[in-house]
Amino acid sequence: MSFRALCDRPKNTNVRISLPAVCFVWQIAMIILFGVFIRYDEESDTHWIEHRKKENISSDIENDFYFRYPSFQDVHVMIFVGFGFLMTFLKRYSFGAVGFNFLIAAFGLQWALLMQGWFHSLDYTDGKIKIGVESLINADFCVAGCLIAYGAVLGKVSPVQLMVLTLFGITLFAVEEYIILSLIHARDAGGSMVIHTFGGYYGLSISWMLYRPNLDQSSNLQGSVYHSDVFAMIGTLFLWMFWPSFNSAITDHGDGQHRAAINTYLALASTVLTTVAISSLFQKHGKLDMVHIQNSTLAGGVAVGTAAEFMLMPYGSLIVGFCCGIISTLGYIYLTPFMEKHLKIQDTCGIHNLHAMPGVIGGIVGAITAAAASESVYGKEGLINTFDFEGAFKNMVPTKQGGHQAAGLCVAICFGIGGGIIVGCILRLPIWGDPADDNCFNDEPYWELPEDEESAPPILHYNNHMANKDV
């Protein structure tokens, strides 16, 4: 008997947890928890003026808000517009793609502020979590991991299941992020390991646990149509344009942020050309496949994330993008069908090719780049600043840092796979109201839908506005 069979659910039950109940109860719980724990940090509190005088800060422009808010806005657009529209390619699941993306992102960011706050910004003097603009960026990053996982189960789960997936996903994310960034002391500015590797394998493991052998009953809805692919391309372009902000949003002010944006920009550009070449080369008659253009063109941004603030060098960024364009596109052509047929993983959006594999590549690139760092390239102060060789880690050397980077990648994979299997078991319970096999990839069970064709009065052959009706 397989492990998945051990988690099999009973088929007959009348108990269902409703979406309104979950939303109301959760929001009330958030109001209570925020009232108990969440407060403004010193840069967003009215005591900022006193803090300015105490720290001899000359101007309000030095408030972190003015450094971080433009990046926050870009990341915010990626979460709600980029991820949402990227998943609208299914012909009858556009409402679910954008709407449920909206729901779980708004649901998750509140829980993320609490979970990440308890690990990173808890003030032990008063027991309160102090939040500012950087907290908002990190909450969006946390939500991104769950939206990646959503891509693997797109169209096959109920909104309540998505909220459960998000609740546990953010909890796991906060723990693995703390272990990787604080305990192991790995650097991961763009989240190749913490966000993409974790989110990718978390979603794939859940999809494996929720495998539907009769999903072919919904095969007529599993494809795209012309306009749905155009909408998905809107998501691609938003993500592609704002990815430099994503990878540089929480890096150090100055050269680190500047370098992260440049490296991401170049990796993305390289990935586009490589994806187009591979897609045309492996398709019949040399034509392009829109699936590849929508997804694989973003893989370079994922893979350069960990090393974005390192001295990867511009040509190194192009190499990373080049390799990811090849691997991601070939993944859609060969690996996704293999995984569904032989591994029983139904990956709706192909997150293994866009997030999981490029995330692993990003972790490897980060480990190699860190291990190869030298004082001659970074400078003494630059080496300390880039890798945060201070405090308990002041005696760290680059080769050892490379090992820590590799350890961080292993933790992300373990949390993603292990957490996904556990959460998948929970989602197999019959109380969540998931759609039937013959009604997946369909908005109809959860949304009020407009008529496909608007009724229009017949157009008369002769128009009253015509001067000469005999013409």
Side-chain angles (χ1 to χ4, degrees):
M1 181 179 289
S2 69
F3 178 80
R4 194 191 291 111
L6 293 176
C7 297
D8 259 338
R9 57 193 181 185
K11 300 300 180 184
N12 298 318
T13 181
N14 294 319
V15 179
R16 292 287 188 274
I17 296 178
S18 70
L19 181 61
V22 173
C23 290
F24 275 121
V25 170
W26 181 257
Q27 196 54 61
I28 290 170
M30 286 298 98
I31 291 171
I32 295 170
L33 288 172
F34 269 59
V36 173
F37 290 105
I38 300 286
R39 297 293 184 271
Y40 301 116
D41 70 5
E42 60 192 7
E43 296 197 359
S44 54
D45 191 85
T46 52
H47 293 86
W48 160 249
I49 186 67
E50 298 171 12
H51 176 73
R52 265 186 57 190
K53 292 178 180 178
K54 180 180 177 182
E55 299 296 327
N56 198 28
I57 297 173
S58 60
S59 170
D60 283 332
I61 202 69
E62 294 184 49
N63 190 300
D64 201 40
F65 175 86
Y66 296 100
F67 290 100
R68 302 292 186 195
Y69 190 72
S71 295
F72 163 69
Q73 278 289 68
D74 291 352
V75 172
H76 217 44
V77 169
M78 290 177 70
I79 295 300
F80 287 92
V81 179
F83 277 101
F85 275 88
L86 182 64
M87 293 187 279
T88 59
F89 63 93
L90 293 170
K91 64 180 73 173
R92 294 291 293 175
Y93 202 70
S94 293
F95 283 14
V98 176
F100 293 151
N101 182 92
F102 193 11
L103 169 67
I104 64 177
F107 166 86
L109 64 86
Q110 298 176 67
W111 183 232
L113 285 169
L114 283 162
M115 283 302 303
Q116 291 182 309
W118 282 320
F119 281 107
H120 298 291
S121 53
L122 183 64
D123 186 341
Y124 291 99
T125 60
D126 59 6
K128 305 299 182 184
I129 297 168
K130 305 298 174 64
I131 65 169
V133 67
E134 189 169 339
S135 306
L136 306 186
I137 297 172
N138 282 317
D140 276 356
F141 282 169
C142 196
V143 165
C146 295
L147 297 181
I148 290 166
Y150 176 31
V153 296
L154 182 72
K156 300 176 291 185
V157 293
S158 69
V160 176
Q161 283 178 304
L162 287 174
M163 296 179 83
V164 174
L165 176 154
T166 305
L167 173 66
F168 286 103
I170 283 173
T171 305
L172 289 164
F173 181 100
V175 175
E176 61 110 19
E177 179 191 45
Y178 178 73
I179 293 171
I180 293 171
L181 301 185
S182 299
L183 300 184
I184 295 177
H185 191 70
R187 306 289 288 175
D188 193 21
S192 297
M193 301 183 292
V194 173
I195 300 171
H196 299 283
T197 301
F198 165 76
Y201 286 109
Y202 179 61
L204 291 169
S205 299
I206 291 175
S207 182
W208 178 70
M209 290 301 301
L210 300 182
Y211 176 70
R212 292 172 177 265
N214 299 316
L215 192 61
D216 58 345
Q217 295 180 24
S218 294
S219 60
N220 62 314
L221 296 175
Q222 205 167 349
S224 62
V225 290
Y226 192 86
H227 69 268
S228 68
D229 270 334
V230 172
F231 275 115
M233 195 62 197
I234 293 173
T236 298
L237 293 174
F238 269 100
L239 290 169
W240 196 92
M241 289 187 299
F242 290 138
W243 215 292
S245 293
F246 189 94
N247 284 352
S248 65
I250 58 171
T251 51
D252 292 337
H253 299 165
D255 67 290
Q257 198 164 36
H258 199 164
R259 194 164 51 249
I262 292 172
N263 287 337
T264 307
Y265 179 88
L266 294 173
L268 286 165
S270 178
T271 307
V272 173
L273 271 71
T274 310
T275 298
V276 169
I278 298 298
S279 180
S280 177
L281 189 63
F282 282 83
Q283 293 300 112
K284 292 181 180 179
H285 311 297
K287 294 183 178 181
L288 299 173
D289 189 328
M290 198 58 166
V291 172
H292 307 155
I293 307 305
Q294 289 164 353
N295 295 280
S296 296
T297 52
L298 301 170
V302 174
V304 82
T306 296
E309 62 179 333
F310 301 166
M311 291 290 284
L312 185 59
M313 306 309 289
Y315 69 87
S317 302
L318 294 178
I319 292 171
V320 171
F322 177 80
C323 293
C324 279
I326 295 172
I327 293 170
S328 179
T329 309
L330 293 179
Y332 278 100
I333 296 171
Y334 297 112
L335 199 52
T336 298
F338 174 85
M339 290 171 61
E340 179 164 357
K341 183 178 180 180
H342 298 287
L343 302 182
K344 310 302 181 186
I345 298 175
Q346 296 160 328
D347 183 6
T348 307
C349 289
I351 65 167
H352 188 249
N353 312 307
L354 173 54
H355 297 283
M357 283 196 302
V360 171
I361 293 170
I364 295 170
V365 170
I368 294 171
T369 310
S374 66
E375 194 171 308
S376 62
V377 174
Y378 285 78
K380 184 177 180 179
E381 292 298 323
L383 199 63
I384 293 171
N385 183 61
T386 301
F387 295 101
D388 199 19
F389 290 160
E390 296 175 341
F393 300 95
K394 65 180 180 180
N395 296 321
M396 184 82 81
V397 294
T399 51
K400 190 175 180 181
Q401 179 66 35
H404 283 229
Q405 295 290 141
L409 177 61
C410 294
V411 170
I413 294 172
C414 290
F415 264 80
I417 295 175
I421 290 173
I422 294 169
V423 175
C425 281
I426 296 170
L427 294 179
R428 289 177 71 88
L429 295 174
I431 60 176
W432 310 119
D434 53 332
D437 288 336
D438 61 352
N439 213 12
C440 292
F441 316 114
N442 192 354
D443 280 327
E444 194 276 330
Y446 304 110
W447 297 88
E448 292 287 345
L449 299 178
E451 295 293 332
D452 286 336
E453 299 292 339
E454 295 183 4
S455 58
I459 300 175
L460 298 177
H461 182 68
Y462 295 115
N463 190 305
N464 289 333
H465 295 286
M466 294 178 63
N468 184 354
K469 295 182 182 181
D470 293 330
V471 176

